[in-house]
């Protein structure tokens, strides 16, 4: 008997509030669809923003790659220039530094000074030092007294025919090296010193919310200095090493939470031991307005529904 009474009351309830229940279900379906649409749009916005950030990082990396390509071409051409070839030709003829070779050395150093004076990014000189060594590692000519940092024989590469980018012994130092081949004989190496900061100077200064780094691909340590790089690296060292460990040539990822969230893009630079890294705390989907809009899409329908229920109850009384 009680069961029949309960079923009757339920049936009466549905008959009396049939339209209200149908309206409630339709409204909840609509609210759910609006919320999911906004959530999906926000998620797609994040995917698109990450892709855009990766493309921008790759674009800047291409500029850096071109910079190093130009440096390899500079030193390759210098290694095969007339003053260098003439020095070794005269040396083979038995000339001494007192009779002929001294003039050749002066011509090489004049060419070094000419190249260094012509190559700039803004007011910043690209090359900080130049040196020619023979196949025994003995210095022949130099400009600006470069700090070699180790035995010169260590820079020799008798099996190499291409110019190279190598890490120097100082943190921000890079060395461009090109072999000197004359008549299919390895005669020595031409070395040029440059700074990692110089390659980034073409982008201007990093903003407080956007950083550009040149990173040693093996040790995952930054080569450029300034703009709080050391502090930033200390914060993100674990995340950067995890990103590099994945081994992809071009990657982008989000790290951190809340206001500390950052997006990191990384691209390996071909024919160098370097990678270009962009770090930004400016990310569209992490802005307050985007989150507030999503929150409003979820909460506002519930508030409207609550007010409507209160109104129905009041009318029934």
């Amino acid at each position: 008997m009680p069961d029949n009474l309960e079923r009757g009351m339920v049936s009466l309830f549905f008959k009396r509030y049939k339209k209200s229940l149908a309206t409630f279900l339709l409204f909840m379906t609509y609210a759910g669809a609006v919320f999911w649409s906004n959530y999906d749009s926000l998620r797609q916005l994040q995917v698109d923003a990450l892709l855009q950030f990766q493309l921008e990082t790759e674009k800047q990396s291409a500029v850096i790659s071109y910079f190093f390509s130009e440096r390899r071409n500079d030193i390759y051409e210098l290694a095969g220039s007339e003053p260098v070839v003439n020095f070794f030709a005269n040396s083979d003829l038995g000339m001494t530094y007192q009779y002929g070779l001294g003039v050749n050395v002066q011509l090489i150093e004049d060419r070094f000074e000419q190249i260094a004076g012509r190559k700039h990014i803004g007011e910043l000189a690209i090359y900080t030092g130049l040196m020619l060594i023979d196949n025994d590692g003995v210095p022949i000519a130099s400009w600006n007294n470069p700090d070699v940092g180790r035995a010169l024989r260590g820079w020799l590469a008798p099996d190499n025919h291409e110019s190279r980018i190598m890490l120097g012994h100082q943190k921000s130092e890079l060395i461009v090296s090109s072999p000197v081949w004359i008549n299919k004989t390895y005669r020595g190496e031409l070395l040029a010193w440059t700074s990692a900061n110089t390659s980034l100077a073409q982008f201007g200064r990093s903003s407080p919310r956007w950083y550009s780094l040149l990173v040693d691909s093996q040790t995952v340590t930054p080569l450029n200095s300034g703009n709080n790089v050391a502090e930033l690296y200390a914060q993100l060292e674990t995340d950067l090493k995890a990103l590099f460990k994945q081994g992809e040539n071009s990657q982008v990822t989000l790290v951190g939470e809340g206001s500390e969230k950052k997006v990191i893009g990384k691209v390996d630079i071909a024919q160098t031991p370097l990678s270009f890294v962009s770090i930004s705390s400016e990310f569209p989907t992490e802005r307050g307005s985007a989150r507030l809009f999503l929150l409003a899409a979820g909460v506002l329908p519930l508030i409207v529904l609550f007010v409507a229920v209160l109104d129905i109850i009041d009318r029934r009384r």
Side-chain angles (χ1 to χ4, degrees):
M1 185 69 177
D3 291 341
N4 292 334
L5 180 61
E6 184 177 344
R7 284 196 294 270
M9 291 179 65
V10 170
S11 177
L12 181 62
F13 176 82
F14 276 105
K15 287 180 180 180
R16 179 175 296 180
Y17 297 104
K18 179 170 60 175
K19 292 182 180 180
S20 298
L21 287 173
T23 303
F24 170 78
L25 291 175
L26 287 173
F27 183 80
M28 289 304 296
T29 301
Y30 169 76
V34 170
F35 178 81
W36 177 256
S37 176
N38 287 323
Y39 172 78
D40 188 60
S41 296
L42 191 64
R43 184 177 59 83
Q44 188 59 47
L45 177 62
Q46 177 171 298
V47 171
D48 292 342
L50 285 173
L51 178 60
Q52 182 61 38
F53 187 84
Q54 183 175 10
L55 292 175
E56 183 63 28
T57 301
E58 290 176 354
K59 179 181 176 182
Q60 292 187 329
S61 174
V63 175
I64 295 287
S65 180
Y66 178 75
F67 172 86
F68 286 121
S69 176
E70 288 293 289
R71 304 292 70 80
R72 288 193 298 270
N73 290 339
D74 286 346
I75 305 309
Y76 183 82
E77 292 176 3
L78 191 55
S81 65
E82 184 178 354
V84 173
V85 173
N86 286 343
F87 170 85
F88 287 106
N90 290 336
S91 177
D92 292 341
L93 292 173
M95 288 187 180
T96 63
Y97 281 86
Q98 290 79 11
Y99 301 98
L101 287 186
V103 174
N104 291 133
V105 170
Q106 185 60 54
L107 289 173
I108 293 171
E109 291 182 345
D110 289 346
R111 181 63 65 88
F112 284 174
E113 186 173 0
Q114 179 186 8
I115 292 292
R118 196 172 71 241
K119 300 293 182 177
H120 285 78
I121 294 180
E123 297 182 356
L124 190 63
I126 290 177
Y127 298 113
T128 59
L130 291 156
M131 180 178 285
L132 174 65
I133 60 177
D134 66 17
N135 53 12
D136 291 321
V138 177
I140 296 172
S142 67
W143 172 80
N144 207 30
N145 297 316
D147 182 8
V148 296
R150 67 179 184 182
L152 287 171
R153 289 186 63 88
W155 299 114
L156 296 175
D159 297 326
N160 179 55
H161 286 75
E162 303 292 336
S163 54
R164 302 171 293 160
I165 305 290
M166 302 176 292
L167 299 173
H169 72 285
Q170 296 182 5
K171 178 183 176 182
S172 62
E173 186 178 71
L174 297 170
I175 295 178
V176 188
S177 174
S178 183
V180 179
W181 286 88
I182 301 175
N183 296 327
K184 299 183 180 180
T185 302
Y186 179 71
R187 303 307 301 265
E189 205 79 20
L190 203 152
L191 307 171
W193 281 257
T194 187
S195 170
N197 291 318
T198 306
S199 63
L200 294 174
Q202 54 202 317
F203 299 136
R205 295 182 178 180
S206 297
S207 73
R209 299 175 65 84
W210 188 300
Y211 295 86
S212 297
L213 308 177
L214 269 184
V215 176
D216 180 346
S217 299
Q218 295 298 318
T219 62
V220 197
T221 54
L223 301 181
N224 53 308
S225 57
N227 294 321
N228 301 319
V229 169
E231 181 182 349
L232 180 67
Y233 177 72
Q235 296 173 2
L236 300 174
E237 180 178 3
T238 302
D239 298 312
L240 282 170
K241 288 185 176 180
L243 184 64
F244 274 74
K245 193 174 182 180
Q246 296 176 28
E248 297 293 333
N249 176 67
S250 176
Q251 295 170 271
V252 64
T253 187
L254 274 172
V255 299
E257 295 293 338
S259 61
E260 298 298 319
K261 183 168 284 190
K262 291 179 174 60
V263 57
I264 303 175
K266 166 254 183 184
V267 180
D268 295 333
I269 302 174
Q271 296 181 290
T272 75
L274 309 172
S275 296
F276 177 72
V277 173
S278 286
I279 302 171
S280 177
S281 55
E282 295 178 344
F283 201 63
T285 58
E286 298 306 313
R287 295 171 184 164
S289 57
R291 287 185 172 275
L292 286 174
F293 184 75
L294 182 63
L295 182 64
V299 173
L300 190 59
L302 297 179
I303 295 175
V304 172
L305 181 63
F306 179 71
V307 172
V309 169
L310 290 180
D311 183 63
I312 291 173
I313 293 175
D314 186 63
R315 288 175 181 274
R316 293 298 180 184
R317 288 177 180 174

